[in-house]
Amino acid sequence: MALLLRFVLLCGVADFARSLSITTPEQMIEKAKGETAYLPCKFTLSTEDQGPLDIEWLLSPADNQKVDQVIILYSGDKIYDDYYQDLKGRVHFTSNDLKSGDASINVTNLQLSDIGTYQCKVKKAPGVANKKLQLTVLVKPSGTRCYIDGSEEIGNDFKLKCEPKEGSLPLRYEWQKLSDSQKLPTSWLTEMTSSVISVKNASSEYSGTYSCTVKNRVGSDQCLLRLDVVPPSNRAGTIAGAIIGTLLALVLIGLILFCCHKKRREEKYEKEVHHDIREDVPPPKSRTSTARSYIGSNHSSLGSMSPSNMEGYSKTQYNQVPSEDFERAPQSPTLPPAKFKYAYKTDGITVV
């Protein structure tokens, strides 16, 4: 009898505990950075649940040093979503009527800091239930670059490399030949799923266009590479040409420097000579203008002279012109001889 009573009591407690339940199973969700994560939380109520409905979402960050953070709350028919600064404006309930049994949320523009365990808690007294979800944010491969490491000549060894700029591990690689026969060398087959293909003893048959696709669980990226295997170049001629070119460049540079130095010396010399002339030697006097002005002034006064004093005046005045001025004066045009007219009376007759 006691066992039967205990069984009835346990069943009653179990039924009471199941009065409010979250039907969404615990799960792990993976999304790419920048995308939107949908975190489901569906619940059911029973007639015994008569209290006010409260819904709370918590985040336990991947960094265990941080405590659980409330990121969004529904209480008293109001929504509060400004608890956690890192998710402010990026977390929302998906349903406009939370009493209908849907407490799911969306987290937009995912960042790596959003990684962690999210817990949905629903309470409507006397019922209480909670469920946990694991969110992982991955980075899609992007910025993938294909290139050749080495000299792509016949008989040489080199490597084909495929490197994404970013992307969450694990990464998978897939090489393909897109041109010519599209047939890959047998020795390459084991490396077609790695980021590097080692080429040994290259031949012209390897030439063509290749693609490399990088993948992870949330996305993929691709790059192309053109391989042209050519005959070996004349390295000795190339080296000799490089040496000769370098020597010619040095000679040309030397000539330019020499010419510039010579020109500067000439300009400096001209400036010094010009400076000496201006400082030490005064400019010569204008002899010609002095003589002409002197003679002209005398000619202007000769017309008023009488024959009686003409001879004496001519001798005296022309002798006053400095001989030094005439000797050093430059050659000037010859002045015509002056003609003088005078009149005098003799025996009652006027002679001109």
Side-chain angles (χ1 to χ4, degrees):
M1 186 65 181
L3 292 175
L4 179 60
L5 181 60
R6 184 178 294 180
F7 177 76
V8 173
L9 291 174
L10 289 174
C11 289
V13 173
D15 290 339
F16 181 77
R18 289 198 300 268
S19 61
L20 188 157
S21 63
I22 296 176
T23 59
T24 302
E26 293 187 357
Q27 55 186 292
M28 294 184 62
I29 300 172
E30 285 185 347
K31 285 292 182 178
K33 180 182 176 182
E35 294 184 345
T36 297
Y38 169 69
L39 306 183
C41 182
K42 302 290 184 67
F43 63 90
T44 59
L45 299 173
S46 70
T47 56
E48 289 86 1
D49 301 324
Q50 298 297 324
L53 178 63
D54 291 333
I55 300 173
E56 183 180 57
W57 277 89
L58 301 171
L59 168 61
S60 301
D63 185 357
N64 295 328
Q65 295 180 358
K66 295 183 179 180
V67 298
D68 292 356
Q69 300 285 339
V70 177
I71 61 174
I72 193 168
L73 176 68
Y74 173 81
S75 180
D77 295 332
K78 291 184 179 180
I79 297 175
Y80 305 91
D81 57 1
D82 57 353
Y83 284 97
Y84 188 44
Q85 190 64 31
D86 290 352
L87 283 173
K88 187 176 181 179
R90 296 195 293 120
V91 59
H92 313 280
F93 284 109
T94 59
S95 175
N96 294 326
D97 184 12
L98 299 179
K99 294 179 181 179
S100 65
D102 187 1
S104 305
I105 61 172
N106 280 332
V107 180
T108 62
N109 189 23
L110 288 172
Q111 304 298 316
L112 296 179
S113 59
D114 299 338
I115 296 174
T117 301
Y118 291 75
Q119 183 177 188
C120 174
K121 285 186 176 182
V122 180
K123 183 174 81 169
K124 188 173 177 65
V128 177
N130 65 80
K131 192 69 67 173
K132 292 183 178 181
L133 302 170
Q134 184 70 36
L135 175 63
T136 301
V137 180
L138 302 176
V139 179
K140 293 180 180 180
S142 63
T144 305
R145 184 172 71 101
C146 294
Y147 64 98
I148 301 170
D149 183 7
S151 178
E152 45 193 308
E153 296 180 350
I154 295 176
N156 279 2
D157 297 342
F158 51 84
K159 295 180 179 181
L160 309 183
K161 292 188 175 183
C162 178
E163 295 179 354
K165 186 176 181 180
E166 61 179 4
S168 297
L169 301 175
L171 295 173
R172 302 187 306 275
Y173 297 85
E174 182 180 342
W175 288 87
Q176 287 184 336
K177 189 176 183 181
L178 306 178
S179 60
D180 301 333
S181 63
Q182 298 186 355
K183 184 179 179 181
L184 295 169
T186 306
S187 59
W188 292 15
L189 296 179
T190 58
E191 298 181 325
M192 296 307 293
T193 56
S194 65
S195 61
V196 179
I197 294 179
S198 298
V199 180
K200 305 292 185 181
N201 192 23
S203 67
S204 58
E205 297 178 355
Y206 296 171
S207 299
T209 301
Y210 295 82
S211 71
C212 174
T213 303
V214 188
K215 300 178 181 179
N216 64 8
R217 292 195 296 267
V218 292
S220 63
D221 194 28
Q222 187 182 67
C223 63
L224 298 178
L225 179 147
R226 177 65 191 178
L227 175 62
D228 292 310
V229 182
V230 297
S233 59
N234 185 358
R235 296 182 180 178
T238 303
I239 295 174
I243 294 174
I244 293 174
T246 303
L247 292 176
L248 290 176
L250 292 175
V251 171
L252 180 61
I253 293 172
L255 289 175
I256 293 174
L257 294 175
F258 175 77
C259 293
C260 292
H261 180 68
K262 183 178 180 181
K263 185 176 180 180
R264 288 179 181 176
R265 289 186 61 186
E266 291 177 352
E267 291 176 353
K268 183 178 180 181
Y269 176 77
E270 291 178 358
K271 289 181 180 179
E272 291 177 353
V273 171
H274 181 67
H275 179 74
D276 292 344
I277 292 175
R278 293 183 61 183
E279 294 291 335
D280 300 338
V281 181
K285 296 181 180 179
S286 177
R287 317 296 188 196
T288 306
S289 59
T290 303
R292 287 181 179 177
S293 60
Y294 186 83
I295 296 174
S297 63
N298 289 336
H299 280 180
S300 62
S301 60
L302 288 179
S304 61
M305 301 294 292
S306 62
S308 61
N309 58 4
M310 184 66 192
E311 181 179 358
Y313 178 84
S314 299
K315 289 181 180 181
T316 304
Q317 296 296 326
Y318 279 96
N319 288 336
Q320 291 177 359
V321 177
S323 60
E324 181 183 357
D325 291 345
F326 278 97
E327 290 175 1
R328 295 185 180 182
Q331 188 175 3
S332 60
T334 305
L335 296 175
K339 295 181 180 181
F340 305 101
K341 293 182 181 181
Y342 55 91
Y344 63 92
K345 290 182 179 183
T346 180
D347 297 333
I349 302 173
T350 301
V351 180
V352 180

